[in-house]
């Protein structure tokens, strides 16, 4: 479904991704872990076409998307829930969902509101008035309504209360059941391990470890070395 091969990405002269390779099979949830500043968001941005790779290849459903602009990549079926949510404070919930809706596919306004019932009563509210948890739901709903086959979620639990984290977990489980593939960037190890099929760990712009969630759970050395746990 997604193949990232030897990707090198820069911000100006800063050399950030130094040869990242990873694979994501259809229907899989892949967790991407690593300390702050190792390049997780940069990888997400390279896949989405926001900070394109300078070298290497990114292939999605057999198409080379390495140098496509972000809007084309979105139309091909990759959705992004960006770190920090990036909602528009002055747009209403409904307006957010209208601007990203894509006609074909299972998710429409009624569908995402059914998945996130809290948003129903908030459709006419401006997003700036929502709680942090509701804003995260909106960010996820906005990505889903584009009917992605692959969802990139960059630290979706950041700043959420435990109750909201559990709710988000249920959402991820139901998306997986519906066949959506997910690249899940996470700081909360337990959350990532609960939902991931496979785990990749980054350090200094490279993938340094790949294993199953069960293996990582019992690998104290790797957790200490790369995650500071
Ligand atoms: N827009 C930018 N310009 C220059 N450097 C950046 C920019 N964004 C991030 N960086 C740097 O790139 C590195 C990786 O950042 P990032 O991908 O956000 O890491 P992570 O998501 O793993 O915390 C960090 O050293 C960060 O300071
Ligand atoms: Mg990040």
């Amino acid at each position: 479904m997604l193949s990232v091969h030897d990707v090198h990405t820069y911000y100006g002269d800063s050399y950030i991704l130094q040869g990242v390779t990873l694979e994501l099979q259809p229907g899989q949830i892949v967790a991407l872990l690593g300390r702050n500043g190792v390049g997780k968001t940069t990888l997400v941005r390279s896949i989405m076409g926001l900070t394109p790779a300078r070298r290497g290849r990114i292939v999605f459903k057999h198409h080379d998307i390495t140098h496509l602009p972000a809007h084309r990549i979105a139309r091909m079926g990759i959705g992004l829930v960006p770190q920090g949510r990036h909602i528009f404070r002055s747009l209403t919930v409904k307006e957010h969902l209208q601007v990203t809706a894509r006609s074909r596919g299972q998710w429409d306004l009624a569908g995402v509101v059914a998945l996130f019932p809290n948003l129903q009563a908030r459709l006419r509210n401006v997003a700036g008035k929502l709680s942090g948890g509701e804003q995260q739901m909106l960010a996820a709903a906005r990505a889903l309504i584009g009917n992605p086959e692959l969802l990139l979620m960059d630290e979706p639990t950041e700043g959420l209360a435990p109750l909201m984290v559990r709710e988000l977990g249920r959402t991820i489980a139901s998306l997986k059941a519906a066949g959506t593939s997910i690249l899940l960037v996470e700081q909360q190890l337990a959350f990532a391990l609960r939902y991931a099929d496979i785990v990749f760990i980054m350090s200094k712009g490279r993938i340094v470890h790949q294993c199953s969630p069960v293996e990582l759970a019992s690998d104290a050395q790797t957790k200490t070395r790369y995650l500071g746990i």
Side-chain angles (χ1 to χ4, degrees):
M1 156 125 308
L2 178 76
S3 158
V4 174
H5 181 71
D6 194 29
V7 156
H8 299 255
T9 301
Y10 297 69
Y11 291 111
D13 290 336
S14 304
Y15 183 27
I16 308 297
L17 299 186
Q18 308 188 354
V20 171
T21 297
L22 68 79
E23 292 275 337
L24 190 152
Q25 307 299 330
Q28 262 190 344
I29 299 185
V30 169
L32 182 64
L33 309 178
R35 293 178 198 255
N36 258 329
V38 297
K40 303 182 298 297
T41 295
T42 306
L43 177 57
V44 166
R45 292 182 59 89
S46 290
I47 295 169
M48 200 68 222
L50 295 167
T51 306
R54 220 174 272 182
R55 279 194 287 143
R57 222 163 106 84
I58 303 176
V59 176
F60 175 60
K61 292 193 302 178
H62 309 292
H63 298 280
D64 187 335
I65 62 167
T66 320
H67 302 292
L68 290 185
H71 68 273
R72 294 264 316 271
I73 293 173
R75 250 189 277 138
M76 289 178 70
I78 302 185
L80 171 65
V81 183
Q83 184 168 19
R85 295 153 199 159
H86 291 268
I87 56 142
F88 300 99
R89 300 185 65 80
S90 62
L91 288 191
T92 66
V93 168
K94 192 171 178 188
E95 285 164 347
H96 273 89
L97 299 176
Q98 282 168 337
V99 294
T100 46
R102 196 170 72 151
S103 51
R104 62 210 149 86
Q106 62 183 129
W107 296 107
D108 56 10
L109 184 66
V112 295
V113 166
L115 186 65
F116 301 107
N118 294 33
L119 295 181
Q120 173 72 62
R122 301 295 226 153
L123 282 174
R124 288 173 201 290
N125 290 61
V126 294
K129 296 278 186 218
L130 304 181
S131 71
E134 288 168 338
Q135 289 183 2
Q136 188 63 54
M137 286 181 192
L138 175 57
R142 177 182 57 184
L144 278 183
I145 211 165
N147 283 293
E149 288 166 63
L150 168 63
L151 193 56
L152 311 174
M153 304 184 91
D154 194 353
E155 303 210 16
T157 65
E158 195 176 27
L160 293 191
L163 197 67
M164 289 303 313
V165 171
R166 244 170 290 151
E167 182 122 343
L168 185 72
R170 278 194 289 274
T171 304
I172 288 175
S174 52
L175 291 177
K176 183 184 162 91
T180 309
S181 309
I182 301 176
L183 180 66
L184 175 66
V185 176
E186 253 308 322
Q187 287 290 342
Q188 294 197 30
L189 180 65
F191 184 85
L193 295 185
R194 193 168 310 130
Y195 299 104
D197 297 300
I198 182 159
V199 177
F200 288 85
I201 298 180
M202 275 184 88
S203 177
K204 297 180 186 162
R206 292 197 173 92
I207 302 288
V208 290
H209 195 77
Q210 176 185 343
C211 63
S212 72
V214 174
E215 282 167 328
L216 184 59
S218 59
D219 185 350
Q221 199 182 340
T222 298
K223 283 192 282 190
T224 309
R225 181 159 175 206
Y226 295 119
L227 306 176
I229 296 166

